[in-house]
Amino acid sequence: MNDLPQTRLAVTPLRFDPAFEQIPDDEAHTSKELADTLRSIMETTFNDSGHANRSVHAKAHGLLRGQVTVLDNLPAELRQGAFSKPATMPVFLRFSTNPGDILDDKVSTPRGQAIKIVGVDGPRLPGSEGDVTQDFVMQNAKAFTSATPKAFLATLKLLAKTTDKAPGLKKALSAVLRGVESTIESMGGESGTLKSLGGHPQTHILGESFSTVVPILYGPYYAKLAMVPVSASLTALTGLHVDFADNPDGLRAAVTEYFIQHSGSWELRIQLATDIEKMPIEDASVQWSEELSPYVTVARIDVDAQPAWDDEKVRAIDDAMAFSPWHGLQAHRPLGGVMRVRKPSYEMSSDFRASHNGCPIREPR
Ligand code: HEM
């Protein structure tokens, strides 16, 4: 038994129907352009630094080992895929921010979080056969900034042009944008583009909640997955402004300082879709109503105190691992255009890193 609260399903989940996915004729072309643009970012940063970084989410702020415990009292609808039976499995966590350059943390941008669960059973996704991992790749948001791959390509092309350009200018721009963003937020709005350019509030990354933003299969249903801090020492950090002083790696320092002394716990929560119109698959920009379908807890992640950043972890997790929504079980197949085009881009990015860093990337067993 574990001490997590009993979960009860208050909604009737909608069964996934293949007709919910609609592939535009030009998707393959968009997908190739996305991968080419991301590769150009990697080439630029590789030429500068001699190290192949991820084409986006290049900078990691914490690399952690922990364990995930699947609740043993789940209703049948929630017992799917990686969560189909009570179990405790090893998990790796990588916290990041979204640019493809390694910037001063004062250029404050949206945050990413990727987890890799080791030891799941079941039929595997294409390209992921023979492995035993399940990745969930998340952002601290509940919907994607762009509705479609094509819309995202337009934004990415703009961001790609800023790769490598005048880091000092980005820092100054970020400070201005944070002010503009907080004005927009005080008026009840939010701008994904401003946040991506450095307008994200300078908060502690460990206080953030993350979600897959876009849907995945959940057995016969479809859903979004979230990771939410629940231990008191983590929730105390939510929304907390962190003063980085002059440290360009202020977020990493904050994560390291926390995990020297503290452990941390998060819950993994599932939001099952109940309505294809209100919870669409092909429009990634729609935030699904939590009134119509609240997130329910399916598992807990526990991380003990540990060094959150050291050479061994940089080699083993940052360089020798790739996190992708396409590493995992068919029961959690990524859904919708944004998810479909991620597959070749993530493969391109991890292949580039493996070949240019002379560091094979393998799934842990
Ligand atoms: C068209 C849409 C997208 C494309 C083309 C794309 C592409 C990529 C690529 C190429 C990487 C680097 C992978 C590697 O080298 O291992 C990456 C990493 C990442 N992406 Fe995406 N992405 C997209 C959408 C998203 C969305 C919707 C999310 C959040 C839910 C997300 C979150 C992340 C995170 C957190 C990482 C870092 C993973 C890690 O820690 O290794 N991306 N993305």
Side-chain angles (χ1 to χ4, degrees):
M1 287 292 288
N2 54 52
D3 57 358
L4 287 163
Q6 175 115 16
T7 50
R8 179 175 294 193
L9 208 53
V11 300
T12 307
L14 179 65
R15 286 190 165 258
F16 173 75
D17 180 330
F20 292 166
E21 283 199 285
Q22 301 283 335
I23 305 180
D25 291 345
D26 58 356
E27 187 168 286
H29 180 71
T30 309
S31 184
K32 183 173 181 313
E33 272 201 83
L34 275 166
D36 289 349
T37 309
L38 289 164
R39 194 186 160 92
S40 74
I41 295 176
M42 295 184 96
E43 278 163 355
T44 305
T45 57
F46 179 74
N47 287 340
D48 281 353
S49 69
H51 187 80
N53 298 313
R54 286 164 176 79
S55 44
V56 286
H57 291 273
K59 188 169 182 181
H61 306 284
L63 304 169
L64 302 168
R65 291 185 173 96
Q67 54 184 35
V68 60
T69 302
V70 178
L71 297 208
D72 58 7
N73 53 0
L74 294 176
E77 297 91 331
L78 290 174
R79 290 201 300 266
Q80 308 291 348
F83 310 103
S84 57
K85 52 179 189 287
T88 297
M89 295 171 276
V91 66
F92 294 91
L93 289 81
R94 178 180 184 269
F95 288 87
S96 59
T97 37
N98 73 354
D101 322 69
I102 306 285
L103 298 173
D104 187 316
D105 290 343
K106 284 189 204 67
V107 184
S108 187
T109 51
R111 286 84 201 277
Q113 150 64 7
I115 67 173
K116 188 181 288 297
I117 301 174
V118 187
V120 300
D121 290 329
R124 309 278 311 165
L125 289 166
S128 179
E129 299 89 348
D131 295 326
V132 294
T133 47
Q134 174 65 54
D135 295 1
F136 294 109
V137 182
M138 297 172 262
Q139 280 171 350
N140 65 333
K142 290 188 172 161
F144 197 47
T145 43
S146 310
T148 60
K150 214 174 190 170
F152 179 61
L153 177 63
T155 309
L156 185 72
K157 280 184 171 168
L158 283 177
L159 288 178
K161 286 201 184 109
T162 74
T163 307
D164 192 26
K165 296 283 180 310
L169 190 65
K170 280 189 182 167
K171 215 154 87 179
L173 181 66
S174 173
V176 174
L177 292 175
R178 278 201 300 277
V180 177
E181 179 62 28
S182 67
T183 309
I184 293 177
E185 282 187 15
S186 69
M187 297 189 303
E190 189 174 331
S191 161
T193 309
L194 287 191
K195 283 189 169 172
S196 296
L197 287 170
H200 191 283
Q202 204 169 295
T203 45
H204 201 301
I205 195 166
L206 293 177
E208 302 283 356
S209 292
F210 296 87
S211 90
T212 55
V213 170
V214 277
I216 52 169
L217 265 188
Y218 198 73
Y221 313 113
Y222 70 101
K224 294 186 186 184
L225 175 140
M227 177 169 154
V228 179
V230 289
S231 51
S233 50
L234 284 180
T235 57
L237 305 177
T238 302
L240 190 78
H241 174 86
V242 185
D243 183 1
F244 299 149
D246 288 329
N247 188 349
D249 302 323
L251 278 176
R252 201 176 285 161
V255 175
T256 298
E257 192 185 328
Y258 175 91
F259 274 106
I260 286 172
Q261 296 193 28
H262 299 94
S263 56
S265 299
W266 290 261
E267 283 181 2
L268 292 182
R269 298 181 184 167
I270 292 294
Q271 184 184 31
L272 288 165
T274 55
D275 181 319
I276 184 63
E277 300 297 327
K278 298 189 176 106
M279 303 174 184
I281 284 179
E282 293 299 345
D283 183 345
S285 65
V286 177
Q287 184 172 335
W288 297 358
S289 160
E290 287 171 56
E291 273 172 29
L292 290 181
S293 184
Y295 279 90
V296 276
T297 304
V298 292
R300 190 171 75 188
I301 291 180
D302 295 298
V303 173
D304 290 337
Q306 59 189 274
W309 192 262
D310 61 25
D311 289 350
E312 181 274 328
K313 277 187 164 152
V314 170
R315 260 195 314 278
I317 304 177
D318 216 28
D319 284 343
M321 279 187 198
F323 296 80
S324 164
W326 287 92
H327 294 160
L329 299 172
Q330 283 177 22
H332 299 311
R333 178 162 68 82
L335 297 175
V338 165
M339 282 296 215
R340 288 189 298 271
V341 300
R342 287 168 83 181
K343 187 171 189 291
S345 281
Y346 282 63
E347 287 168 358
M348 175 285 299
S349 184
S350 61
D351 287 352
F352 186 102
R353 292 196 289 118
S355 60
H356 286 68
N357 292 337
C359 170
I361 294 182
R362 289 199 198 97
E363 289 296 279
R365 299 195 69 83

